[in-house]
């Protein structure tokens, strides 16, 4: 287990990470990028106001590569909005502002609702039935005892909606956006009764998809996403 040094106004804080050495030396840049993005997404960056600094030299050592592919991976992650480079200070994991998060969720609402429309027109009954199966393990009234597990199923549900659209451009646009959003979804799923409302929303969405009710499915998916935006607007003070 390794640590990323941090810098903040408060006493230094550390975020633990585990980065395995890369065994395929032919794809240093792409594999370093994938490994570092996975690490960043796994960090609870919204649980602390402290900055998380990435130590390029340490990360290169952990991955078993030179600093060049790590530096190239960092540049790509910066273009995608995951990190920011501060001259003479280093590279830091980005914490989105409340305004930025709400804008991302709003954009996601548009993409996912169009995906739902397409699903009602082209998805097979088996594909839609798979969505239903995701939630069978949470129907025994013990949802709150399985919040971590449900959080991951919740994320997989929304990714599945996008994939089932079979629209390559839509899938590409949604990919990077959702990687940012999953950190917020993971943070908010335990707030108030959001988990219970989330599963009710999902079941209603699946029912509309099963009935091929295009207008209702599209509207339910959009309102579900915008409900998250409203929750963030009213309660996510940690983003200010």
């Amino acid at each position: 287990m390794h640590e990323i040094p941090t810098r903040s106004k408060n006493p230094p804080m550390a975020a633990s990470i585990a980065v395995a050495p890369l065994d395929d030396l032919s794809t240093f840049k792409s594999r370093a990028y994938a490994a570092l993005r996975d690490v960043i997404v796994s960090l609870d960056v919204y649980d602390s106001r402290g900055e998380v600094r990435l130590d390029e030299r340490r990360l290169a050592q952990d991955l078993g590569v030179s600093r060049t592919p790590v530096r190239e991976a960092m540049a790509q992650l910066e273009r995608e909005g995951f990190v920011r480079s501060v001259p003479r200070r280093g590279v830091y994991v980005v914490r989105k502002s409340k305004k930025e998060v709400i804008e991302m969720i709003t954009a996601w609402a548009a993409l996912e609702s169009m995906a739902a429309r397409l699903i009602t027109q082209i998805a097979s009954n088996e594909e839609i039935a798979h969505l239903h199966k995701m939630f069978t393990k949470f129907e025994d009234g013990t949802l709150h005892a399985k919040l971590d597990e449900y959080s991951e199923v919740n994320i997989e549900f929304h990714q599945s909606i996008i994939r089932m659209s079979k629209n390559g451009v839509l899938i590409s646009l949604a990919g990077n956006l959702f990687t940012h959003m999953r950190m917020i979804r993971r943070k908010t799923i335990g707030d108030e009764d959001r988990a219970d409302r989330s599963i009710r929303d999902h079941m209603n969405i699946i029912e509309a998809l099963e009935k091929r009710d295009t207008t209702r499915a599209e509207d339910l998916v959009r309102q579900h996403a915008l409900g998250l935006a409203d929750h963030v607007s009213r309660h996510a003070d940690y983003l200010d």
Side-chain angles (χ1 to χ4, degrees):
M1 191 69 78
H2 308 280
E3 294 186 345
I4 297 178
T6 64
R7 178 178 296 182
S8 68
K9 296 179 182 178
N10 300 317
M13 302 180 64
S16 297
I17 66 169
V19 183
L22 302 181
D23 53 10
D24 182 353
L25 306 186
S26 65
T27 55
F28 278 160
K29 177 184 174 182
S30 60
R31 297 199 66 196
Y33 163 79
L36 293 176
R37 190 180 69 166
D38 287 346
V39 167
I40 290 169
V41 171
S42 71
L43 296 174
D44 292 328
V45 295
Y46 296 108
D47 279 344
S48 169
R49 295 183 183 272
E51 294 182 308
V52 179
R53 181 176 179 272
L54 301 177
D55 186 327
E56 185 180 285
R57 185 186 302 275
R58 172 66 66 81
L59 289 171
Q61 292 174 349
D62 290 346
L63 291 170
V65 299
S66 70
R67 295 176 68 176
T68 298
V70 172
R71 191 175 297 117
E72 292 173 342
M74 291 287 198
Q76 184 173 347
L77 288 165
E78 184 164 20
R79 289 192 296 271
E80 295 175 352
F82 290 103
V83 302
R84 73 181 190 283
S85 179
V86 181
R88 296 181 296 278
R89 288 187 59 196
V91 179
Y92 294 82
V93 176
V94 168
R95 295 175 78 257
K96 297 293 186 182
S97 68
K98 181 185 287 190
K99 180 177 182 295
E100 289 171 326
V101 168
I102 292 172
E103 288 178 348
M104 287 192 300
I105 297 171
T106 302
W108 178 267
L111 293 173
E112 193 176 20
S113 61
M114 176 52 70
R117 168 174 284 273
L118 294 172
I119 288 171
T120 64
Q121 299 168 352
I122 64 173
S124 68
N125 292 337
E126 291 74 19
E127 287 175 310
I128 297 174
H130 176 70
L131 294 176
H132 207 147
K133 291 177 183 177
M134 289 184 183
F135 301 101
T136 56
K137 67 180 70 175
F138 305 107
E139 294 177 346
D140 60 359
T142 60
L143 176 58
H144 287 280
K146 305 175 182 177
L147 271 182
D148 288 343
E149 187 178 358
Y150 178 71
S151 177
E152 291 306 311
V153 172
N154 177 42
I155 288 168
E156 174 60 22
F157 173 80
H158 291 285
Q159 290 178 312
S160 295
I161 293 290
I162 294 296
R163 288 196 300 266
M164 288 167 60
S165 74
K166 297 182 174 62
N167 183 300
V169 174
L170 192 156
I171 292 169
S172 177
L173 289 171
N176 183 54
L177 181 61
F178 192 75
T179 304
H180 286 285
M181 281 185 54
R182 70 179 298 155
M183 292 186 280
I184 293 297
R185 285 191 181 277
R186 190 168 54 215
K187 170 70 176 176
T188 60
I189 195 63
D191 294 349
E192 297 179 327
D193 61 342
R194 281 196 54 76
D196 290 322
R197 286 186 287 122
S198 171
I199 200 166
R200 288 197 300 271
D201 285 354
H202 290 167
M203 299 312 291
N204 287 333
I205 289 168
I206 293 168
E207 180 183 16
L209 294 174
E210 289 173 332
K211 292 180 177 179
R212 309 289 173 166
D213 188 337
T214 301
T215 300
R216 178 168 169 76
E218 188 175 19
D219 184 61
L220 286 173
V221 168
R222 182 187 302 109
Q223 293 307 316
H224 178 67
L226 293 180
L228 175 60
D230 180 65
H231 177 82
V232 168
S233 176
R234 290 185 292 111
H235 298 292
D237 294 337
Y238 50 85
L239 293 173
D240 293 328

